[in-house]
Amino acid sequence: MAEEASMSLADDELVITAAIVGAEVTRAQNPHVPYSAEEIATEAARCADAGAAVIHLHVREPDGTPTQSAAAFQAAIEAIRARCDVVIQVSTGGAVGMDVEERLGGLACAPEMATLNCGSTNFGDAVFVNAVPDVRQIARRIAQIGATPELEVYEVGHLDLAMSLLDEGVVASHAWLQFVLGVPGAAGARESVLRFMISELGRPLHWSVAAVGRHQLPMAALACELGGHPRVGLEDNLFLRRGVLAEGSAPLVERAAELARERGRQVVSAGHLRGVLTAP
Ligand code: KMH
Ligand code: ZN
């Protein structure tokens, strides 16, 4: 059986994650998507100032092509660390179609957190493939470098796999869990879906919600109300409100921080979160 989570935030404390780059969104869709290490660091610093404790990180080639190369991650991470204090969570999902080994470049750069996608899912017209043996292998690689995994759950079956990995100890009990809702073709970004998934957790994990498109801010508000944590940013949503492009991810972080405060939650800093992540 899984142990109780050994470290925790107070109930009112809230972590905002900013997903500032992504792999699929482009400057043709929103000119504020950062590509270079310096652009990424500038946006990370704006998001930290607005209240983000975690930066969920993808990286790009100079022309915007998604890459998972360790060199590109290293350049971005060094630039971010020179500008602001944030917990860096590297993507091990990369872009649809990348092979598993290619996706793990960020793990060479000593990140504090890394994503663990807990199964295959429709991803618009594509399929984001995460075969179970690969999920287990990535989990072990994240554990080897001592990073905190964030279990990405797009579907109910992913939650069952996540629970099995926790029960088996393949994933440590202090893992975070994120419900990714509203990806076209996968579970919808609806209150009923989120409430059901939470009811199935059965253990005291910290959880967040990353909802796609117009659902991002309403589901962020719901996460704040239900004791979870919001992820916002251009990776998942390009608009601040209907018809108005967000001028980067920072305005979305600002809005998430307002939603949190309006619901009695306290937005915590990276330093505070780090203390929780590294507690014995
Ligand atoms: N780009 C998506 C296919 C992650 O970062 O771990 C996968 C993704 C998940 O973004
Ligand atoms: Zn991602």
Side-chain angles (χ1 to χ4, degrees):
M1 280 298 293
E3 315 153 13
E4 288 249 312
S6 57
M7 57 200 76
S8 202
L9 294 166
D11 287 349
D12 64 339
E13 292 177 335
L14 177 132
V15 172
I16 299 176
T17 297
I20 64 177
V21 183
E24 283 79 23
V25 291
T26 68
R27 279 194 186 149
Q29 297 169 297
N30 182 321
H32 301 284
V33 177
Y35 288 167
S36 71
E38 279 309 313
E39 290 165 353
I40 290 170
T42 299
E43 190 56 36
R46 290 178 71 213
C47 289
D49 286 346
V54 179
I55 297 295
H56 169 70
L57 189 63
H58 288 255
V59 285
R60 304 290 185 105
E61 302 286 0
D63 68 355
T65 304
T67 174
Q68 290 285 106
S69 86
F73 270 111
Q74 191 61 39
I77 290 171
E78 281 175 14
I80 293 171
R81 288 194 174 134
R83 298 287 294 268
C84 59
D85 183 30
V86 286
V87 169
I88 294 175
Q89 178 195 81
V90 297
S91 169
T92 68
V96 166
M98 286 178 173
D99 75 36
V100 169
E101 202 51 44
E102 178 184 8
R103 283 164 41 179
L104 304 189
L107 298 184
C109 304
E112 290 164 276
M113 295 183 78
T115 58
L116 178 66
N117 291 276
C118 290
S120 300
T121 179
N122 290 328
F123 203 88
D125 291 343
V127 178
F128 178 35
V129 177
N130 292 286
V132 173
D134 292 333
V135 177
R136 290 178 177 279
Q137 188 211 335
I138 297 169
R140 285 191 288 268
R141 297 276 289 271
I142 294 171
Q144 276 164 12
I145 64 160
T148 301
E150 182 182 85
L151 307 169
E152 309 297 325
V153 168
Y154 303 72
E155 298 282 3
V156 174
H158 299 174
L159 195 51
D160 285 12
L161 178 60
M163 296 303 118
S164 298
L165 296 174
L166 282 155
D167 284 343
E168 294 166 22
V170 177
V171 166
S173 60
H174 67 277
W176 281 53
L177 190 139
Q178 178 159 262
F179 302 110
V180 186
L181 301 178
V183 174
R190 293 190 298 280
E191 179 168 350
S192 57
V193 174
L194 179 60
R195 283 186 183 274
F196 174 72
M197 295 252 211
I198 294 167
S199 76
E200 290 288 305
L201 275 177
R203 65 185 76 214
L205 287 172
H206 295 301
W207 56 267
S208 54
V209 179
V212 172
R214 67 190 164 84
H215 301 292
Q216 181 171 85
L217 291 170
M219 292 302 279
L222 187 59
C224 296
E225 268 165 44
L226 298 180
H229 307 267
R231 168 170 129 174
V232 293
L234 295 188
E235 173 167 343
D236 308 323
N237 166 40
L238 299 165
F239 292 90
L240 187 58
R241 55 182 176 273
R242 191 183 174 93
V244 179
L245 285 175
E247 295 186 359
S249 294
L252 295 163
V253 173
E254 272 171 29
R255 187 65 194 122
E258 284 169 7
L259 293 169
R261 286 191 284 266
E262 286 164 12
R263 286 157 180 80
R265 304 287 301 276
Q266 278 190 57
V267 177
V268 304
S269 67
H272 185 81
L273 172 62
R274 191 172 290 118
V276 171
L277 295 179
T278 58

